[in-house]
Amino acid sequence: MKVSGKTARGVHDAERREGHRGFVLRAAYIRMRILPRKRGTGLTPDCDITAGFVLRSIPWLRLILEGPAAIMVEDGSHSFLGEASAKGTSKEVIEEAASTHEARSHPEDAAVGHPPSLSPGEQRRLWRKIDMRLMPILTVMYLCSFVDRGNIGNAKLEGLTTQLQLTGNKYNVALTMYFVAYFFFTIPSNLVLKKFRPSRWLSGITMVWGLVTTLMGVVKTYPQLVGTRLCLGVVESGLSCGVFYHFTLWYPRHMLLTRMSMFIGGASFAGAFSGLLAYGISFMSGTAGLLGWSWIFIIEGLITIVVGFIALFVLVDFPDTAGFLTPMERAYLVHRLKYDNSSVGEEEHFELRHIREAVLDWQVWMLAIINMINSIAVYGITLFLPSIINGFGFGAATSQLLSVPPYVLATVTVVTWGIWSDHIKKRSPFVVAGLVLCFVGFAINVADVSVGAKYFGTFLVVTGGYSGYPAITAWLPNNLAGHYKRGVGIAMQLGFSSFGGIIASNIYRTQDAPRYILGHALEMGFMAIALLLVPLTVVCYMRINRQRETICGEEVEKDIRWAPEELRRLGDRAPDFRYTL
């Protein structure tokens, strides 16, 4: 039911009057129930819609009595103190009024005083400090994660399939079991992350999967290999989704992709690092009676254990407990993040409805499917690139080395695209670009062309798959509001990537070597599907954004308001929330 501004809760009434010289912008929070509308509007019957910042003109008398409004913008908090001072109002009165207004608007912040405003230079120093504490250790952990899940592709060339007698599709089944376990444990892992603290949870699972990888080097039978791959999927499932969720607790949504690109750049660099490391380790074959594939697992697993132990002491938890920040920096960061996705802050307590809302949200499913398709390309090329290059006619050692350059190019592209995407505040163009590169790369490898052209095609696939991945994984958290709904949505999206791994593990069959035409052709088909889904998603987002603009305009005219608690509850379904394209 529509409610007039005079009866709305949590806001003060102010009438528009002509002839007054001073005006300020005032945030008015509105609640109303939209009744069924005409066909074609896209609005579901009786759905809740939220109005965000409503621009209102307020006489100077009301300004002094009630306090000026401060509007949070992307690069900080700005008030109209300068304009007020220019009109003759004393600065002390205005600042006191501003503090009063802040306490009324956000009483939960009143205890810590008015949130500090940092200069551009201070903001740059703040983000630099956060980057230095988060990015290096998390990137190295993710590098270890991708090395340990993908090094089985390098081990295959060093005698794994021969010694364990992996005939038929046994190798593919071993790959598949990792992703099956990965899928079932992503959501539980993200739900317990805040309870157990990131520094303990993420470092703990890193040490455990490092141990599992090490033990994989001493397996003697096919069932033992399958069992260790299953355990590896269980433990590793918590890292990617946990880190992506952790980033959303530290960075505003339009600074997120740059950091995620640096982080995922570690995964693409892992391909180069793994190839070089496998090449060096291959010379240890025969040491202590173990073949080269065993030493690949043992040495790389031990490195991961060391990294996890260091992370236990280096990794930081949450902004409000960050001891490396000053009190002013902590207050600024907490306030900035709280109101980044919502004009009234986000819900931070857990309820079962957060799981239900994420599961029933169309955008979660759409972007999860797109991510799954992109993951088919990523895992297909990661797990089989050494074998694909080996099929060009090169030896095992040379194939390991030739797998390095595509990943180096991908690493540079991942970071460049991430910075560019955050600068223009768009995700979809980079998703499309990555899918197109993958499609062209697979098409080249399907065609009957020279070895040099096919090798060039692998550059396109590796670059496109890895460079598009961060844009997809940042797109969904950008468009979800509420800590726990976002956490569940991220887990679902990354859980679906395990389906991509399952598909990729089974379309590159042993009998199709060396050209793998079936696998490459199926990859092309999946890329084509994703290239249809991305524009459809963008159109849906644009349509919803336009509808919310219209609704907000109508609410301004009719002076209809929402209560702040209702806006927080609606989250990304509120009309003041705009989807990132």
Side-chain angles (χ1 to χ4, degrees):
M1 183 179 67
K2 296 182 178 180
V3 188
S4 70
K6 296 180 180 179
T7 59
R9 294 175 299 169
V11 292
H12 296 280
D13 180 40
E15 299 294 332
R16 185 186 300 271
R17 293 186 176 93
E18 299 295 337
H20 290 277
R21 296 178 59 190
F23 298 94
V24 296
L25 299 175
R26 173 106 187 240
Y29 305 104
I30 304 171
R31 184 170 196 270
M32 76 178 186
R33 181 78 66 178
I34 301 297
L35 299 176
R37 297 201 174 191
K38 294 181 181 179
R39 183 176 302 174
T41 61
L43 296 174
T44 57
D46 199 37
C47 64
D48 277 328
I49 302 294
T50 315
F53 287 114
V54 179
L55 307 182
R56 308 200 63 208
S57 301
I58 305 175
W60 281 108
L61 178 61
R62 300 295 294 269
L63 167 65
I64 298 175
L65 293 177
E66 294 186 13
I71 296 181
M72 295 300 297
V73 296
E74 182 180 325
D75 56 352
S77 172
H78 300 275
S79 65
F80 293 91
L81 300 183
E83 183 180 352
S85 298
K87 300 294 183 178
T89 310
S90 74
K91 182 177 180 181
E92 291 77 9
V93 170
I94 295 298
E95 289 179 343
E96 182 179 357
S99 300
T100 304
H101 173 81
E102 185 66 31
R104 288 173 176 172
S105 299
H106 309 299
E108 62 272 23
D109 294 335
V112 295
H114 193 277
S117 178
L118 301 183
S119 67
E122 291 172 329
Q123 292 181 40
R124 286 193 294 270
R125 285 192 292 272
L126 169 63
W127 300 122
R128 194 158 47 241
K129 289 170 67 174
I130 295 172
D131 289 341
M132 292 304 298
R133 288 302 300 268
L134 284 179
M135 298 308 303
I137 186 63
L138 289 176
T139 301
V140 173
M141 291 166 69
Y142 198 52
L143 184 149
C144 291
S145 171
F146 250 77
V147 166
D148 291 342
R149 80 179 64 173
N151 55 13
I152 191 171
N154 303 104
K156 181 183 179 183
L157 295 183
E158 300 299 332
L160 172 69
T161 55
T162 303
Q163 186 172 9
L164 298 187
Q165 299 179 351
L166 302 182
T167 58
N169 65 344
K170 288 183 177 179
Y171 176 75
N172 302 85
V173 172
L175 297 181
T176 301
M177 296 311 296
Y178 168 89
F179 296 105
V180 171
Y182 191 100
F183 172 75
F184 285 105
F185 286 89
T186 50
I187 293 179
S189 177
N190 253 20
L191 290 178
V192 302
L193 178 66
K194 291 188 75 172
K195 182 175 181 60
F196 287 100
R197 292 169 46 186
S199 59
R200 294 178 180 177
W201 179 253
L202 297 179
S203 60
I205 63 176
T206 301
M207 288 186 282
V208 173
W209 95 60
L211 177 61
V212 172
T213 303
T214 302
L215 295 176
M216 201 182 306
V218 296
V219 299
K220 302 300 181 184
T221 64
Y222 167 65
Q224 291 176 356
L225 176 65
V226 171
T228 51
R229 291 291 296 180
L230 189 68
C231 293
L232 187 65
V234 171
V235 185
E236 271 201 31
S237 64
L239 183 77
S240 298
C241 59
V243 171
F244 292 162
Y245 175 52
H246 194 46
F247 279 157
T248 66
L249 303 179
W250 280 91
Y251 295 104
R253 62 176 179 162
H254 289 130
M255 296 177 64
L256 190 61
L257 184 54
T258 298
R259 275 71 186 182
M260 290 179 71
S261 296
M262 295 177 182
F263 175 70
I264 295 173
S268 57
F269 183 72
F273 178 75
S274 182
L276 287 173
L277 195 57
Y279 174 77
I281 294 174
S282 65
F283 293 102
M284 295 181 61
S285 183
T287 304
L290 298 175
L291 293 182
W293 70 265
S294 292
W295 285 112
I296 288 175
F297 289 133
I298 292 171
I299 292 179
E300 292 178 356
L302 291 175
I303 293 174
T304 300
I305 293 174
V306 173
V307 170
F309 182 75
I310 294 173
L312 184 63
F313 301 97
V314 174
L315 193 59
V316 292
D317 292 315
F318 305 109
D320 57 347
T321 61
F324 68 96
L325 299 178
T326 65
M328 178 176 291
E329 290 172 335
R330 278 199 304 271
Y332 170 83
L333 181 61
V334 170
H335 192 272
R336 171 79 183 274
L337 294 170
K338 185 172 184 179
Y339 300 102
D340 178 55
N341 272 10
S342 172
S343 57
V344 292
E346 293 188 301
E347 285 192 319
E348 301 180 11
H349 64 282
F350 174 72
E351 295 180 16
L352 287 177
R353 67 177 177 83
H354 294 140
I355 299 178
R356 183 180 66 254
E357 289 174 357
V359 171
L360 297 179
D361 197 333
W362 69 272
Q363 60 172 327
V364 173
W365 289 95
M366 186 72 83
L367 293 177
I369 293 173
I370 295 171
N371 186 52
M372 179 192 74
I373 293 174
N374 187 80
S375 297
I376 297 174
V378 170
Y379 286 122
I381 206 68
T382 299
L383 297 173
F384 293 95
L385 182 60
S387 298
I388 292 171
I389 295 177
N390 184 242
F392 295 162
F394 299 103
T398 304
S399 297
Q400 304 281 26
L401 287 178
L402 287 177
S403 67
V404 173
Y407 288 106
V408 174
L409 175 63
T411 302
V412 176
T413 308
V414 165
V415 177
T416 303
W417 283 16
I419 296 172
W420 188 5
S421 178
D422 269 348
H423 178 70
I424 66 175
K425 297 181 177 61
K426 292 185 183 296
R427 308 293 183 233
S428 55
F430 302 92
V431 178
V432 171
L435 293 170
V436 169
L437 288 179
C438 288
F439 184 89
V440 175
F442 285 121
I444 291 175
N445 276 273
V446 167
D448 187 12
V449 295
S450 66
V451 170
K454 289 179 179 291
Y455 186 53
F456 172 73
T458 64
F459 275 80
L460 298 181
V461 175
V462 174
T463 302
Y466 278 95
S467 300
Y469 182 63
I472 300 171
T473 52
W475 201 2
L476 182 61
N478 280 173
N479 290 336
L480 292 177
H483 286 191
Y484 283 98
K485 181 182 178 182
R486 187 184 304 118
V488 174
I490 292 172
M492 286 182 60
Q493 184 187 41
L494 295 183
F496 262 69
S497 68
S498 63
F499 284 120
I502 292 172
I503 295 172
S505 299
N506 291 280
I507 61 178
Y508 288 95
R509 305 177 303 176
T510 304
Q511 59 265 38
D512 296 329
R515 292 188 60 188
Y516 296 104
I517 292 178
L518 176 63
H520 295 327
L522 289 173
E523 293 271 20
M524 289 176 61
F526 284 118
M527 298 306 112
I529 294 173
L531 285 170
L532 294 176
L533 294 179
V534 174
L536 178 61
T537 304
V538 173
V539 169
C540 291
Y541 279 145
M542 293 175 64
R543 186 165 178 260
I544 295 172
N545 284 347
R546 284 197 301 266
Q547 290 173 351
R548 291 178 179 178
E549 292 285 355
T550 302
I551 292 169
C552 286
E554 293 175 354
E555 289 169 345
V556 172
E557 294 177 359
K558 298 178 182 179
D559 196 20
I560 300 171
R561 310 176 185 180
W562 288 74
E565 60 271 16
E566 293 294 338
L567 287 175
R568 281 191 287 269
R569 185 177 181 86
L570 284 170
D572 54 84
R573 292 180 295 125
D576 66 336
F577 187 93
R578 297 294 179 268
Y579 288 122
T580 298
L581 305 179

